Amino acid sequence: MRVAVVAGPDPGHAFPAIALSLLFRRAGDDPVLFTGSRWVGDARAAGLRTLELGGLLPRPEDDDLDAGQRIHSRAAFVATELLPDLERENVDLVVSDILTAGGGMAAEQLGIPWVELSPHPLYSPSKGLPPIGSGLAPGRGVRGRLRDTVMRALTARSIAQGRTQRSLARTSIGLPARDPGPSARLIATIPALEVERPDWPEDAHVIGPLLWEPTDDLLELPDGESPLVMVAPSTAFTGAEGMLEMALKGLDGTGVRVVASVLDGAPDVLPNWANAGLGRQDELLRHADVVVCGGGHGMLAKALMHGVPVVTVPGGGDQWELANRAARQGSAIIVRPPTATSIAGAVADVLADPGFARAAAVAAAGATSVGDPVEVCHEVLARSGRGTGR
């Protein structure tokens, strides 16, 4: 199968796309990755045929403060830039990141089946859930269900506006206004971070997190045998600022060791009980007793897959939703607003209560009950009549 994988440059979306591309290659398929320029060299170094995805930069007419316009209008432009590349590559299938919808639009223009990749839980609206982003558990009883109904009504206008923006973007490049959607959806999360819903889509498949390490370097751990706190500041632009600095200040004198995993901007001066830099996170998690992170899906899922409990310092985007899901599952404490004292106090609470580690171990055990993304894609291709699938 010749498959194109399309994702923008944000690490939370580019890294899962790289991981999926590597899975395709290991299965004997022929993937080509389209992503932002920042990760093209790294993906090629990992052995992937990788091309820069055009159309990502804002145009003068773009309003990036309007999230719907940014996603949908930019997607149409990305589709026009991607179209000739897809034609030249002669792919059988396209997998397009949920925030890089231009991949799906371009596939539709060419009559190629496409699959949507969500590198997080399913965020589609549901008749049985409060609006995604509220962080609330599904309401129970008459009052709870009424609360959720009212909240869904309050967000319905924004959802309808987004659909209108998608329709306008589609017609601007010659597609029908009505979006038929993908042939399947890959939900790259663990069951512990999903929530039950009465209207789970038949085309949505939980496949487990798609994890990729951008380096093979190992970060040296501080000397000693005291508990190890791993700090992983958010890579999202909506992440909370100053997390590492607050953690170091609050944890000073508490007897723990700290190792901070950062893509960029490690502090120049650190105490002897701390280290920071770019290193393989999977290796750090084998030694960590607790993780302090923003609650972004990539780091949160990675920690829970290793059975490590979490202190979340959520910023914007979906971090509040995910932090609350982990807290309800029992493996996390939420700190908001963050201070040096509150972060240190939450770390102490997690280390003192073994229940957090037990809940994280339960989450890790459940991570094996997921589908195979490559198999799902082969089945889509087989149904389309363009190939035989597996």
Side-chain angles (χ1 to χ4, degrees), residues 285-307:
L285 286 166
R286 292 188 181 97
H287 304 277
D289 297 286
V290 59
V291 169
V292 179
C293 67
H297 180 265
M299 191 63 240
L300 183 59
K302 192 180 289 188
L304 295 183
M305 286 185 69
H306 282 80

Side-chain angles (χ1 to χ4, degrees), residues 263-289:
L263 277 176
D264 303 294
D268 294 328
V269 179
L270 289 166
N272 60 8
W273 46 270
N275 193 16
L278 178 61
R280 291 190 64 96
Q281 291 182 332
D282 54 357
E283 180 61 28
L284 296 178
L285 286 166
R286 292 188 181 97
H287 304 277
D289 297 286

